[in-house]
Amino acid sequence: MKPYNPNAIEEKWLKHWQSKKLFQGTAATKPQDKYYALWAFAYPSGSGLHVGHVESLAALDILVRYLRMTGKDVFFPVGWDAFGLPAENYAIKTGIPPEKTTRDAITNFEGQVKRIGISMDWESELATCDSEYYKWTQWIFVKLFEAGLAYRDKSSVNWCPQDKTVLANEQVINGACDRCGSSVIQKDLEQWKFKITKYQDELIKGLEKVDWPQSTRDQQINWIGKSEGTSVKFNLGEDKILECFSTRLDTVFGVTFLVIAPEKFKEFGLEALVEEKRKSSVASYLDAASHKTEEQRRVGEKDKTGVDTGLFVAHPITGAQIPVWIADYVLAGYGTGVVMGVPAHDPRDHAFAMQHGLEIKPVIESENGEESQGLFSDYGKLINSGKYSDLSSKEAITKLIADYPQAFAKKTTYKLRDWLISRQRYWGAPIPMVFCESCAQEGKGANKQMLGWYAVAEAQLPVKLPQVPDFRPTDDGKSPIEKASESWKFTKCPGCGGQAKREVDTMDTFVDSSWYFLRYVDAHNDREFASKEKLKQWLPVDNYLIGAEHSVLHLLYSRFFVKFLHEQGYLSFDEPFLKMRHQGMILGPDNRKMSKSKGNVINPDDVIEKFGADTLRVYEMFMGPLDADKAWDTSAVNGVYRFMNRIYTLVQRNLELSKSGEIKTNEALRRQLHKTIVKVGKDISTYHFNTAVAALMEFSNSWSEAINKSEGLSQADLVSFTKIIAPLAPFLAEELFELVSQNKKSVHQHAWPEADSSLLVEAEVEIVVQVNAKVRTRFSIPSHESQDKEALKRLATAALKQAGIEITTGTQMIVVPGKLVNAVLK
Ligand code: ANZ
Ligand code: ZN
C-alpha cells in the first residue's frame, strides 16, 4: 500500500491545475447563478501569510468550491492593499524603497496562497500601488471634488513633534506616537476631507437591507451617532450667544453652569473677554488640553478637569446668571461643543460639579413621585421648574420649544465627522490636485470656496508617485514628496496656463480599499474604473468574509463610496456587501494573540511542510466555529493529519477489495453516506465547517469498520465520497478521484453528488409482539434494523415489560424478521 505523501500529491496537482487554468476569468453568467465571494483585502506584509489569513482563505475557498459543484458561477478574486505605513517606515529605517519591499512581499503572498490550494481568479489580481489601479482612485477623488464632496479644511489633527508628521488616530497609543513614543499634540492644519456626512442618514438606513452580524450593524449606527434633541441658546451679553445641544431640554431649570470645549473657547474668540486675573489659569488649561487626544478625553477619564472663566450667561427662562467653565470632557467636534451643565441628572456633569463645588439642583423625579436615590437620569416628572412642574419630561420638551422659539429649537446631531484623507506620507496615491498662486490671488479656481485649486484632467491621470531622495517628512511637517523633482512638482495651471504646484500629500490607504471590490470585476480596464456590464454582472458582493476589527471604518467608507457612485449614476446598487460574516481570531497555543514578541506564532509554511496544505485547511476548519476565537493545538493538527491518512488508506483498501469482485455498499453505510452528503453540503453553505469535518470523520469510522469486515463502498459510492471531501481537501480529493474514477475531468469540475432521498428518511416498521401466539403489544424500529434477530428479541422483551409482562431470560422466542416476535411461555 502506498503511504500518504501530501507534499508530492499537492505539488503534482498544483502544476496540473495551473496548466489547466481552472477557475480563471470572469465568465458570462446567468444573474441568478452568480456568486461573488470576497476575501478581505490583505496587506502584503514582509512576514508573509499567517494562520489567520489561512482561516479566512480556506473558509471561502471551501464555500466556493462547494457552490461551483452545485452549479453556481463563482467570482473569487484576489488583490493587495499595498500602500501604507509599514513599508514606508521600513524604508525610513533601511533606505530600501517601499516599492521594492512591497513587490517582494506580494510575490511571496501569491506563492503562499496558491500553495494552500485557494481557487482564486488570478487574472483579476490587483494591487493598490499599481498605477493602473490608483489612476482610478484618483479619478474617484476628482469626481468627489467636482461634486463638492472633497474639500480642504482646517482641522485639529494628531501631530508628533519628534517625527514632525500628522498621525492617524490609530497611530496614537495613549497619547503617544507609536513610532517614537513622544507625546502627541493637537495641531490645526489644512487637510483634505471627504464629505461622508452627506450620506449619514442613508448610511443608517441602508443597514436595514444587509445580512450582517447584528453587533457590526450596531457599531456602525453608534459610530454615525444620530441623536435627536434641542438647540438651547444662552446669552453671553454684547450680542454673543452660546448655543448648546441637549437631548434633555426638560432639565433646563436644573442648569447651574455652562461648559465649553477648549478648542471652541478659542475658536469663539472668548479669551479676549476673560478678566486679567484669570487669563493665565485659562491659558494654561487651554494649552494642557491641546496635548490630549480626543480618545483620551472621550473614555476612561474619571478626572473631570476644568477652569472657571469668570464669564456668565443668562438663563433663557429665568434670566439667572450662570457661570461659564472650560472643560475638556466636552468634545469640540460633537454637537456645538458647548454643554448646559445639569449636575443633578447627567452623570458627567455630576462628577464635574462634585469636583469643582458647583450647585446641584434636582428638577426631575420619577413619575410615581418616589425620591430618587442619588442621581436620577431617566425621564420622569418635572419639579422645581416653575409652571412646567408636574409635566412629564416629554410634555415639557414640546411645551418649552413652543413657548420659547427664540431660545429652543429641535435639532438633530451626528457623531460622524467628515473623513480626513490627506497624509503627509510617501507611500500612497498622490492627491490629483494642483494649486495656482496667481489664480488664487485673482479669485479664480475650479471651486469658488477653494480659490486657486484645480483637479488634474482625466486625460492626465494617473499622477504617478514620483521618486524621492529620502522618505522622511520634512521639518515643517510636509510630505516627503515635497522633495520630488521640480519637473514633477510644477505643472501648467489648468486655469491660467501659468505655473501651478502639485499637491504633495497622498491619500489615506482606507481610500484605496474603499472600492477595490468594484475594480476586481474589470481589473485591467483602462477606459473606466470598471465596465457597467461587468459591474452589473457580478455586484453587489454576495458574501464578504472579514475580521470583526474592521466593523466600522473600512465598511463605512466602502458604503460611502458606493452611495456616491450610485448617486452619480455609475452603479445600479447602493449597498456593496449584501452578506457579511466575521472570522474569529486564531490564537497561539498559549491562548494569547499571536505575536513575535510572545514567541507563539505558528507559521503556516511549517505546517504545510510537515503535514501538507490539506491538513492545514481541514485542521483550521475543525478548530471550532468560524466566528469564534480559537487556540492552536498541535496535537489536534496531528489528529487531522491521521484522518487524511486514514482516508487515503481506506480508498486503497477499498480498491483492493473490489479487485476480487464488485462491492455493494451495505444498507447502513449507504444511509450514512447519503446523510453525510447532505450534511456536509448544508454545513459548508452555512459556514459550519467544523461540523462538516466531524460528519466526515464519523463516516470514515463506519467505513473503516466495514473494510475490516471485508465490506466497503461500491464504485459509485467511492466516487461520491471523493467528491464530498473535494471542497475541504482539494488535493487529496483530486488524487483519490484519479484513482477511483475513469473520468478525466477534475473532481472540482463535477457536480455535488445527489443524495438518494429514500435513504434519508428512516422508514420504520411495526413489529407485533405475541405471547403464546396472542398479540400483546407492538413496537417500531427503523426498517434497516428490522432484520436483526437479536435486536428484535431485545426490543420485544422491553416492550413486553412495559406492558407489564416480565419474561425470564432463556425464554424461547420465535422471530419473523420485519414482522413479529412470539415469546413461548411454558
Ligand atoms: C443636558 C443634559 C441633562 C444632558 C441630562 C444629558 C442628560 P447624546 O445622547 O450622545 O447625543 N453633550 C452635548 N454635546 C456634547 C459635547 N460636545 N461633549 C460632551 N457632551 C455633550 O448626548 C447628548 C447629551 O450629551 C446632551 O444632552 C449634552 O448633555 C451632552 F440629564 O444636556 B445633555
Ligand atoms: Zn492659474
Side-chain angles (χ1 to χ4, degrees), residues 227 245-248 251 329-331 334-335 337-340 342 345-346 348 415:
S227 179
F245 171 71
S246 175
T247 46
R248 295 295 302 275
T251 65
Y329 76 93
V330 176
L331 304 173
Y334 184 61
V338 187
V339 170
M340 59 184 222
V342 184
H345 304 291
D346 181 301
R348 297 157 296 183
K415 293 216 165 73

PDB file of all heavy atoms in Angstrom, residues 227 245-248 251 329-331 334-335 337-340 342 345-346 348 415, ligand 1:
ATOM      1  N   SER A 227     -28.514  61.670  16.911  1.00  0.00           N
ATOM      2  CA  SER A 227     -29.138  61.983  18.190  1.00  0.00           C
ATOM      3  C   SER A 227     -30.116  63.135  17.999  1.00  0.00           C
ATOM      4  O   SER A 227     -29.769  64.168  17.440  1.00  0.00           O
ATOM      5  CB  SER A 227     -28.033  62.363  19.176  1.00  0.00           C
ATOM      6  OG  SER A 227     -28.585  62.707  20.420  1.00  0.00           O
ATOM      7  N   PHE A 245     -26.135  71.852  22.568  1.00  0.00           N
ATOM      8  CA  PHE A 245     -27.012  70.785  22.086  1.00  0.00           C
ATOM      9  C   PHE A 245     -27.362  69.914  23.283  1.00  0.00           C
ATOM     10  O   PHE A 245     -26.473  69.460  23.999  1.00  0.00           O
ATOM     11  CB  PHE A 245     -26.338  69.946  21.013  1.00  0.00           C
ATOM     12  CG  PHE A 245     -27.143  68.727  20.655  1.00  0.00           C
ATOM     13  CD1 PHE A 245     -28.328  68.863  19.939  1.00  0.00           C
ATOM     14  CD2 PHE A 245     -26.760  67.453  21.079  1.00  0.00           C
ATOM     15  CE1 PHE A 245     -29.108  67.759  19.641  1.00  0.00           C
ATOM     16  CE2 PHE A 245     -27.550  66.340  20.782  1.00  0.00           C
ATOM     17  CZ  PHE A 245     -28.715  66.496  20.065  1.00  0.00           C
ATOM     18  N   SER A 246     -28.665  69.706  23.511  1.00  0.00           N
ATOM     19  CA  SER A 246     -29.085  68.883  24.640  1.00  0.00           C
ATOM     20  C   SER A 246     -30.182  67.915  24.220  1.00  0.00           C
ATOM     21  O   SER A 246     -31.065  68.270  23.449  1.00  0.00           O
ATOM     22  CB  SER A 246     -29.608  69.762  25.770  1.00  0.00           C
ATOM     23  OG  SER A 246     -30.116  68.936  26.800  1.00  0.00           O
ATOM     24  N   THR A 247     -30.100  66.706  24.735  1.00  0.00           N
ATOM     25  CA  THR A 247     -31.192  65.748  24.499  1.00  0.00           C
ATOM     26  C   THR A 247     -32.222  65.860  25.630  1.00  0.00           C
ATOM     27  O   THR A 247     -33.224  65.161  25.618  1.00  0.00           O
ATOM     28  CB  THR A 247     -30.637  64.308  24.473  1.00  0.00           C
ATOM     29  OG1 THR A 247     -29.755  64.143  25.575  1.00  0.00           O
ATOM     30  CG2 THR A 247     -29.888  64.041  23.188  1.00  0.00           C
ATOM     31  N   ARG A 248     -31.936  66.735  26.603  1.00  0.00           N
ATOM     32  CA  ARG A 248     -32.798  66.793  27.788  1.00  0.00           C
ATOM     33  C   ARG A 248     -33.208  68.220  28.133  1.00  0.00           C
ATOM     34  O   ARG A 248     -32.918  68.727  29.213  1.00  0.00           O
ATOM     35  CB  ARG A 248     -32.064  66.142  28.973  1.00  0.00           C
ATOM     36  CG  ARG A 248     -31.807  64.647  28.806  1.00  0.00           C
ATOM     37  CD  ARG A 248     -33.096  63.840  28.760  1.00  0.00           C
ATOM     38  NE  ARG A 248     -33.900  64.025  29.945  1.00  0.00           N
ATOM     39  CZ  ARG A 248     -33.755  63.339  31.070  1.00  0.00           C
ATOM     40  NH1 ARG A 248     -32.845  62.402  31.165  1.00  0.00           N
ATOM     41  NH2 ARG A 248     -34.537  63.586  32.102  1.00  0.00           N
ATOM     42  N   THR A 251     -34.631  69.285  31.468  1.00  0.00           N
ATOM     43  CA  THR A 251     -33.830  69.570  32.668  1.00  0.00           C
ATOM     44  C   THR A 251     -33.333  71.013  32.693  1.00  0.00           C
ATOM     45  O   THR A 251     -32.466  71.355  33.508  1.00  0.00           O
ATOM     46  CB  THR A 251     -32.602  68.629  32.749  1.00  0.00           C
ATOM     47  OG1 THR A 251     -31.728  68.912  31.634  1.00  0.00           O
ATOM     48  CG2 THR A 251     -32.990  67.163  32.713  1.00  0.00           C
ATOM     49  N   TYR A 329     -13.876  67.516  29.018  1.00  0.00           N
ATOM     50  CA  TYR A 329     -14.777  66.369  28.810  1.00  0.00           C
ATOM     51  C   TYR A 329     -15.830  66.717  27.761  1.00  0.00           C
ATOM     52  O   TYR A 329     -16.520  65.841  27.241  1.00  0.00           O
ATOM     53  CB  TYR A 329     -15.402  65.873  30.122  1.00  0.00           C
ATOM     54  CG  TYR A 329     -16.536  66.678  30.740  1.00  0.00           C
ATOM     55  CD1 TYR A 329     -17.871  66.381  30.452  1.00  0.00           C
ATOM     56  CD2 TYR A 329     -16.266  67.712  31.633  1.00  0.00           C
ATOM     57  CE1 TYR A 329     -18.915  67.101  31.040  1.00  0.00           C
ATOM     58  CE2 TYR A 329     -17.303  68.444  32.216  1.00  0.00           C
ATOM     59  CZ  TYR A 329     -18.626  68.133  31.915  1.00  0.00           C
ATOM     60  OH  TYR A 329     -19.645  68.845  32.499  1.00  0.00           O
ATOM     61  N   VAL A 330     -15.929  67.995  27.450  1.00  0.00           N
ATOM     62  CA  VAL A 330     -16.797  68.400  26.342  1.00  0.00           C
ATOM     63  C   VAL A 330     -15.969  68.340  25.069  1.00  0.00           C
ATOM     64  O   VAL A 330     -14.878  68.900  24.992  1.00  0.00           O
ATOM     65  CB  VAL A 330     -17.344  69.826  26.572  1.00  0.00           C
ATOM     66  CG1 VAL A 330     -18.165  70.270  25.376  1.00  0.00           C
ATOM     67  CG2 VAL A 330     -18.184  69.856  27.835  1.00  0.00           C
ATOM     68  N   LEU A 331     -16.491  67.614  24.076  1.00  0.00           N
ATOM     69  CA  LEU A 331     -15.745  67.421  22.838  1.00  0.00           C
ATOM     70  C   LEU A 331     -16.063  68.539  21.852  1.00  0.00           C
ATOM     71  O   LEU A 331     -17.218  68.906  21.662  1.00  0.00           O
ATOM     72  CB  LEU A 331     -16.117  66.074  22.220  1.00  0.00           C
ATOM     73  CG  LEU A 331     -15.919  64.866  23.146  1.00  0.00           C
ATOM     74  CD1 LEU A 331     -16.483  63.607  22.510  1.00  0.00           C
ATOM     75  CD2 LEU A 331     -14.442  64.695  23.479  1.00  0.00           C
ATOM     76  N   TYR A 334     -18.417  67.498  18.709  1.00  0.00           N
ATOM     77  CA  TYR A 334     -19.759  66.944  18.819  1.00  0.00           C
ATOM     78  C   TYR A 334     -20.745  68.036  19.186  1.00  0.00           C
ATOM     79  O   TYR A 334     -20.438  68.912  20.013  1.00  0.00           O
ATOM     80  CB  TYR A 334     -19.803  65.823  19.857  1.00  0.00           C
ATOM     81  CG  TYR A 334     -21.155  65.172  19.915  1.00  0.00           C
ATOM     82  CD1 TYR A 334     -21.674  64.543  18.772  1.00  0.00           C
ATOM     83  CD2 TYR A 334     -21.948  65.226  21.047  1.00  0.00           C
ATOM     84  CE1 TYR A 334     -22.938  63.982  18.782  1.00  0.00           C
ATOM     85  CE2 TYR A 334     -23.213  64.654  21.072  1.00  0.00           C
ATOM     86  CZ  TYR A 334     -23.699  64.034  19.932  1.00  0.00           C
ATOM     87  OH  TYR A 334     -24.953  63.482  19.938  1.00  0.00           O
ATOM     88  N   GLY A 335     -21.920  67.975  18.621  1.00  0.00           N
ATOM     89  CA  GLY A 335     -22.937  68.993  18.896  1.00  0.00           C
ATOM     90  C   GLY A 335     -22.380  70.363  18.556  1.00  0.00           C
ATOM     91  O   GLY A 335     -21.844  70.569  17.458  1.00  0.00           O
ATOM     92  N   GLY A 337     -20.216  71.800  20.817  1.00  0.00           N
ATOM     93  CA  GLY A 337     -19.013  71.955  21.638  1.00  0.00           C
ATOM     94  C   GLY A 337     -19.287  72.749  22.911  1.00  0.00           C
ATOM     95  O   GLY A 337     -18.363  73.119  23.626  1.00  0.00           O
ATOM     96  N   VAL A 338     -20.568  72.999  23.156  1.00  0.00           N
ATOM     97  CA  VAL A 338     -20.969  73.691  24.389  1.00  0.00           C
ATOM     98  C   VAL A 338     -22.070  72.862  25.037  1.00  0.00           C
ATOM     99  O   VAL A 338     -22.966  72.372  24.345  1.00  0.00           O
ATOM    100  CB  VAL A 338     -21.527  75.111  24.086  1.00  0.00           C
ATOM    101  CG1 VAL A 338     -21.777  75.865  25.393  1.00  0.00           C
ATOM    102  CG2 VAL A 338     -20.590  75.884  23.176  1.00  0.00           C
ATOM    103  N   VAL A 339     -21.991  72.694  26.356  1.00  0.00           N
ATOM    104  CA  VAL A 339     -22.954  71.842  27.048  1.00  0.00           C
ATOM    105  C   VAL A 339     -23.591  72.611  28.192  1.00  0.00           C
ATOM    106  O   VAL A 339     -22.910  73.358  28.905  1.00  0.00           O
ATOM    107  CB  VAL A 339     -22.238  70.580  27.594  1.00  0.00           C
ATOM    108  CG1 VAL A 339     -23.148  69.799  28.526  1.00  0.00           C
ATOM    109  CG2 VAL A 339     -21.784  69.691  26.450  1.00  0.00           C
ATOM    110  N   MET A 340     -24.917  72.452  28.331  1.00  0.00           N
ATOM    111  CA  MET A 340     -25.549  73.024  29.520  1.00  0.00           C
ATOM    112  C   MET A 340     -25.384  72.004  30.645  1.00  0.00           C
ATOM    113  O   MET A 340     -25.747  70.841  30.516  1.00  0.00           O
ATOM    114  CB  MET A 340     -27.026  73.374  29.259  1.00  0.00           C
ATOM    115  CG  MET A 340     -27.922  72.234  28.838  1.00  0.00           C
ATOM    116  SD  MET A 340     -29.594  72.834  28.464  1.00  0.00           S
ATOM    117  CE  MET A 340     -30.610  71.541  29.230  1.00  0.00           C
ATOM    118  N   VAL A 342     -26.094  70.031  33.799  1.00  0.00           N
ATOM    119  CA  VAL A 342     -27.228  69.685  34.670  1.00  0.00           C
ATOM    120  C   VAL A 342     -26.751  68.608  35.636  1.00  0.00           C
ATOM    121  O   VAL A 342     -26.983  67.420  35.425  1.00  0.00           O
ATOM    122  CB  VAL A 342     -28.434  69.185  33.841  1.00  0.00           C
ATOM    123  CG1 VAL A 342     -29.637  68.931  34.749  1.00  0.00           C
ATOM    124  CG2 VAL A 342     -28.796  70.161  32.745  1.00  0.00           C
ATOM    125  N   HIS A 345     -28.752  65.478  37.003  1.00  0.00           N
ATOM    126  CA  HIS A 345     -29.305  64.418  36.151  1.00  0.00           C
ATOM    127  C   HIS A 345     -28.353  63.857  35.099  1.00  0.00           C
ATOM    128  O   HIS A 345     -28.668  62.871  34.454  1.00  0.00           O
ATOM    129  CB  HIS A 345     -30.599  64.916  35.508  1.00  0.00           C
ATOM    130  CG  HIS A 345     -31.597  65.365  36.532  1.00  0.00           C
ATOM    131  ND1 HIS A 345     -32.221  64.476  37.376  1.00  0.00           N
ATOM    132  CD2 HIS A 345     -32.005  66.609  36.912  1.00  0.00           C
ATOM    133  CE1 HIS A 345     -33.004  65.151  38.222  1.00  0.00           C
ATOM    134  NE2 HIS A 345     -32.892  66.451  37.965  1.00  0.00           N
ATOM    135  N   ASP A 346     -27.226  64.494  34.889  1.00  0.00           N
ATOM    136  CA  ASP A 346     -26.252  63.965  33.935  1.00  0.00           C
ATOM    137  C   ASP A 346     -25.009  63.531  34.714  1.00  0.00           C
ATOM    138  O   ASP A 346     -24.401  64.340  35.413  1.00  0.00           O
ATOM    139  CB  ASP A 346     -25.877  65.045  32.912  1.00  0.00           C
ATOM    140  CG  ASP A 346     -24.893  64.530  31.881  1.00  0.00           C
ATOM    141  OD1 ASP A 346     -23.783  64.089  32.260  1.00  0.00           O
ATOM    142  OD2 ASP A 346     -25.229  64.550  30.687  1.00  0.00           O
ATOM    143  N   ARG A 348     -21.920  62.883  33.953  1.00  0.00           N
ATOM    144  CA  ARG A 348     -20.651  63.578  33.696  1.00  0.00           C
ATOM    145  C   ARG A 348     -20.673  64.955  34.361  1.00  0.00           C
ATOM    146  O   ARG A 348     -19.703  65.380  34.992  1.00  0.00           O
ATOM    147  CB  ARG A 348     -20.421  63.724  32.188  1.00  0.00           C
ATOM    148  CG  ARG A 348     -20.285  62.385  31.476  1.00  0.00           C
ATOM    149  CD  ARG A 348     -20.616  62.508  30.007  1.00  0.00           C
ATOM    150  NE  ARG A 348     -22.024  62.894  29.807  1.00  0.00           N
ATOM    151  CZ  ARG A 348     -22.607  63.017  28.624  1.00  0.00           C
ATOM    152  NH1 ARG A 348     -21.921  62.802  27.523  1.00  0.00           N
ATOM    153  NH2 ARG A 348     -23.876  63.364  28.534  1.00  0.00           N
ATOM    154  N   LYS A 415     -22.575  62.025  15.416  1.00  0.00           N
ATOM    155  CA  LYS A 415     -21.185  61.916  15.860  1.00  0.00           C
ATOM    156  C   LYS A 415     -20.245  61.832  14.666  1.00  0.00           C
ATOM    157  O   LYS A 415     -19.092  62.215  14.753  1.00  0.00           O
ATOM    158  CB  LYS A 415     -20.994  60.661  16.720  1.00  0.00           C
ATOM    159  CG  LYS A 415     -21.734  60.732  18.045  1.00  0.00           C
ATOM    160  CD  LYS A 415     -20.947  60.059  19.167  1.00  0.00           C
ATOM    161  CE  LYS A 415     -21.503  60.457  20.524  1.00  0.00           C
ATOM    162  NZ  LYS A 415     -22.787  59.831  20.839  1.00  0.00           N
TER     163      LYS A 415
HETATM  164  C1  ANZ B   1     -28.272  68.437  29.350  1.00  0.00           C
HETATM  165  C2  ANZ B   1     -28.437  67.066  29.849  1.00  0.00           C
HETATM  166  C3  ANZ B   1     -29.077  66.628  31.015  1.00  0.00           C
HETATM  167  C4  ANZ B   1     -27.900  66.142  29.001  1.00  0.00           C
HETATM  168  C5  ANZ B   1     -29.153  65.278  31.264  1.00  0.00           C
HETATM  169  C6  ANZ B   1     -27.934  64.805  29.197  1.00  0.00           C
HETATM  170  C7  ANZ B   1     -28.560  64.355  30.352  1.00  0.00           C
HETATM  171  P1  ANZ B   1     -26.090  62.027  23.019  1.00  0.00           P
HETATM  172  O1  ANZ B   1     -27.254  61.256  23.515  1.00  0.00           O
HETATM  173  O2  ANZ B   1     -24.830  61.221  22.925  1.00  0.00           O
HETATM  174  O3  ANZ B   1     -26.379  62.837  21.803  1.00  0.00           O
HETATM  175  N1  ANZ B   1     -23.383  66.838  25.165  1.00  0.00           N
HETATM  176  C8  ANZ B   1     -23.764  67.588  24.120  1.00  0.00           C
HETATM  177  N2  ANZ B   1     -22.688  67.988  23.405  1.00  0.00           N
HETATM  178  C9  ANZ B   1     -21.615  67.449  23.995  1.00  0.00           C
HETATM  179  C10 ANZ B   1     -20.218  67.520  23.744  1.00  0.00           C
HETATM  180  N3  ANZ B   1     -19.728  68.221  22.720  1.00  0.00           N
HETATM  181  N4  ANZ B   1     -19.388  66.837  24.554  1.00  0.00           N
HETATM  182  C11 ANZ B   1     -19.872  66.146  25.609  1.00  0.00           C
HETATM  183  N5  ANZ B   1     -21.169  66.065  25.910  1.00  0.00           N
HETATM  184  C12 ANZ B   1     -22.037  66.717  25.128  1.00  0.00           C
HETATM  185  O4  ANZ B   1     -25.738  63.088  24.191  1.00  0.00           O
HETATM  186  C13 ANZ B   1     -26.303  64.357  24.195  1.00  0.00           C
HETATM  187  C14 ANZ B   1     -26.022  64.928  25.549  1.00  0.00           C
HETATM  188  O5  ANZ B   1     -24.610  64.966  25.758  1.00  0.00           O
HETATM  189  C15 ANZ B   1     -26.519  66.367  25.654  1.00  0.00           C
HETATM  190  O6  ANZ B   1     -27.660  66.453  26.470  1.00  0.00           O
HETATM  191  C16 ANZ B   1     -25.425  67.034  26.479  1.00  0.00           C
HETATM  192  O7  ANZ B   1     -25.840  66.885  27.815  1.00  0.00           O
HETATM  193  C17 ANZ B   1     -24.203  66.224  26.215  1.00  0.00           C
HETATM  194  F1  ANZ B   1     -29.766  64.859  32.360  1.00  0.00           F
HETATM  195  O8  ANZ B   1     -27.760  68.265  28.011  1.00  0.00           O
HETATM  196  B1  ANZ B   1     -27.281  66.894  27.790  1.00  0.00           B
END
